[in-house]
Amino acid sequence: MSDAAPLLSVRDLSVGFEGFDGYADVVDGVDLTVEHGEVVTIAGETGCGKSVTTKAITGLLNEPPAHVDGTVEFDGQDLRELPDDERRELNGDRISVIFQNPLSSLNPVFTIGEQLTDTAQFGGDGNTGILGYFRRRFSSTDRSAARERVLELLEEVRMPDPESVMDSYPSELSGGMRQRAIIAQALLNEPDLLIADEPGSALDVTVHDEILSLLEDLIAERDMSILMITHNLGVARRLSDRVYIMYGGRIAETAPTAEIFDAPHHPYTQGLIASIPRLSGESMAGGIGGSVPEYTDPPMGCRFHPRCPYADESCRSSEPADVSFGEQARSACIRHSDGDSGPVPTLQETKRRLSEHEPTPEPAEGNQ
Ligand SMILES: Nc1ncnc2c1ncn2[C@@H]1O[C@H](COP(=O)(O)OP(=O)(O)O)[C@@H](O)[C@H]1O
Ligand SMILES: [Mg+2]
């Protein structure tokens, strides 16, 4: 994209959790960037560590039992080194997050109008203090300007009947309307970076589709960087400029969207693409057999090896390094050799092998 430093740069991010069953080593050495104005997705099956990655980026896992390691740089500042209040301010003003569970992001006891107007007025301003809060909260000019802005945004997210939605409680809205309110809230302070974890995917297919076209339009209209999480490759293809494919807490492959769908290199990416009937031309029974790893005892070497139809002893004994396939594309498979995909053959071949492959050590539990 540009020569400027990325807006978000995550390096060697690792996240684990202390638990009754031992230490869950979930995210392991994730590197990712989001450039200015770029829409990036992290895609992969449920349980691959996508939400944990975003929570670590937004500073939600800063306390035990979670352990976070690595660097998270936003616009040149190391977020993990920032004092809490500065970080909160940044999170409210420059970074907005839409969490995976849409219900938990709205407060049930306040109307949509009250909560969104508060966000418009105060954003990430955690230092207002109680007096400052009341002075501004009850300053009618400040408040009504904020209210106007909320109404404009509700129009922009195509909320039906915004005036009456302002006076409604979250429980009085449909799932789709709540999702629109949450998107409006996330955009109120015109963030530089929007992080959206599976937006709309809890909703039924038609409403999910409406939310996706809304996001498409908002992306086209606004000069905003987006880090989007999805378990749905179709969503990644439709909305993003660049994709990270995540498996078992590691980045398996990344490339610009068109490239990753035209010429996927990693057997996991190939398996995911082969499992989408519309993209592969025909359906494949079962997709990738087996399930995502147990993080208290993850597979040695390549974490995908128990499910990979190409795996041999070397995949069990050593962790694959990234192999670069051009400026923005890399894939981590031991079978790649520099600059070409080595003995990992075509999507067709991977499909054929997957259909015959028995995952080790035990058969599929049907995690997805
Ligand atoms: N707070 C937590 N404590 C312990 N384990 C967690 C916690 N949050 C997530 N995990 C585990 O991390 C793994 C990845 O979860 P998640 O990031 O939610 O996956 P995804 O978003 O890709 O579906 C899962 O096995 C999940 O159980
Ligand atoms: Mg998730």
Side-chain angles (χ1 to χ4, degrees), residues 17-18 24 26-27 44-53 55 61 65-66 100 197-198 229 246 292-293 295:
F17 300 95
E18 215 72 67
V26 180
V27 172
E45 290 160 290
T46 299
C48 280
K50 306 182 298 297
S51 294
V52 169
T53 302
K55 284 181 191 157
L61 299 176
Q100 186 164 2
D197 192 349
E198 310 261 8
I229 309 304
M246 189 162 195
V292 300
Y295 294 100

Side-chain angles (χ1 to χ4, degrees), residues 186-331:
L187 297 179
L188 271 171
N189 294 308
E190 304 194 347
D192 300 315
L193 176 67
L194 174 67
I195 299 180
D197 192 349
E198 310 261 8
S201 63
L203 304 165
D204 72 55
V205 180
T206 326
V207 185
H208 185 201
D209 201 62
E210 286 167 19
I211 296 293
L212 291 178
S213 25
L214 169 65
L215 285 171
E216 254 173 340
D217 293 348
L218 293 170
I219 289 167
E221 285 156 17
R222 285 162 181 264
D223 182 27
M224 159 172 75
S225 303
I226 303 187
L227 178 62
M228 175 126 65
I229 309 304
T230 180
H231 68 274
N232 180 332
L233 276 195
V235 171
R237 189 183 211 195
R238 183 164 160 189
L239 294 179
S240 57
D241 301 317
R242 204 152 53 82
V243 182
Y244 288 90
I245 301 289
M246 189 162 195
Y247 182 77
R250 294 180 182 154
I251 302 299
E253 177 167 9
T254 178
T257 308
E259 273 178 48
I260 216 161
F261 286 96
D262 283 352
H265 292 285
H266 199 284
Y268 180 60
T269 315
Q270 294 187 340
L272 286 180
I273 291 176
S275 316
I276 307 175
R278 256 185 314 149
L279 293 186
S280 64
E282 65 203 86
S283 71
M284 190 186 67
I288 311 172
S291 50
V292 300
E294 292 289 342
Y295 294 100
T296 43
D297 184 20
M300 303 285 285
C302 173
R303 286 187 172 179
F304 184 56
H305 86 251
R307 303 173 70 190
C308 182
Y310 298 105
D312 61 22
E313 197 40 48
S314 59
C315 306
R316 283 176 262 279
S317 54
S318 52
E319 198 181 311
D322 280 336
V323 174
S324 154
F325 292 93
E327 210 177 303
Q328 288 187 299
R330 57 189 157 84
S331 172

Side-chain angles (χ1 to χ4, degrees), residues 1-7 33-38 225 242 327-328:
M1 295 205 76
S2 65
D3 294 335
L7 181 63
T33 55
V34 180
E35 307 286 340
H36 292 267
E38 196 183 25
S225 303
R242 204 152 53 82
E327 210 177 303
Q328 288 187 299

Side-chain angles (χ1 to χ4, degrees), residues 2-68:
S2 65
D3 294 335
L7 181 63
L8 178 73
S9 173
V10 174
R11 285 189 302 274
D12 207 14
L13 182 73
S14 296
V15 188
F17 300 95
E18 215 72 67
F20 292 121
D21 307 331
Y23 189 75
D25 183 7
V26 180
V27 172
D28 183 44
V30 162
D31 289 320
L32 64 87
T33 55
V34 180
E35 307 286 340
H36 292 267
E38 196 183 25
V39 181
V40 169
T41 48
I42 306 178
E45 290 160 290
T46 299
C48 280
K50 306 182 298 297
S51 294
V52 169
T53 302
T54 51
K55 284 181 191 157
I57 292 173
T58 52
L60 282 178
L61 299 176
N62 285 348
E63 283 170 22
H67 295 270
V68 180

Side-chain angles (χ1 to χ4, degrees), residues 74-124:
F74 175 79
D75 206 9
Q77 277 180 303
D78 188 343
L79 293 188
R80 304 204 47 240
E81 303 289 322
L82 276 187
D84 279 355
D85 52 343
E86 286 181 39
R87 191 186 170 105
R88 261 199 308 276
E89 199 164 322
L90 200 76
N91 271 343
D93 287 340
R94 300 196 58 198
I95 305 176
S96 274
V97 189
I98 297 177
F99 291 106
Q100 186 164 2
N101 179 352
L103 262 190
S104 66
S105 346
L106 290 169
N107 190 328
V109 302
F110 293 104
T111 63
I112 298 293
E114 284 166 322
Q115 343 194 3
L116 268 61
T117 311
D118 270 358
T119 304
Q121 238 182 330
F122 302 106

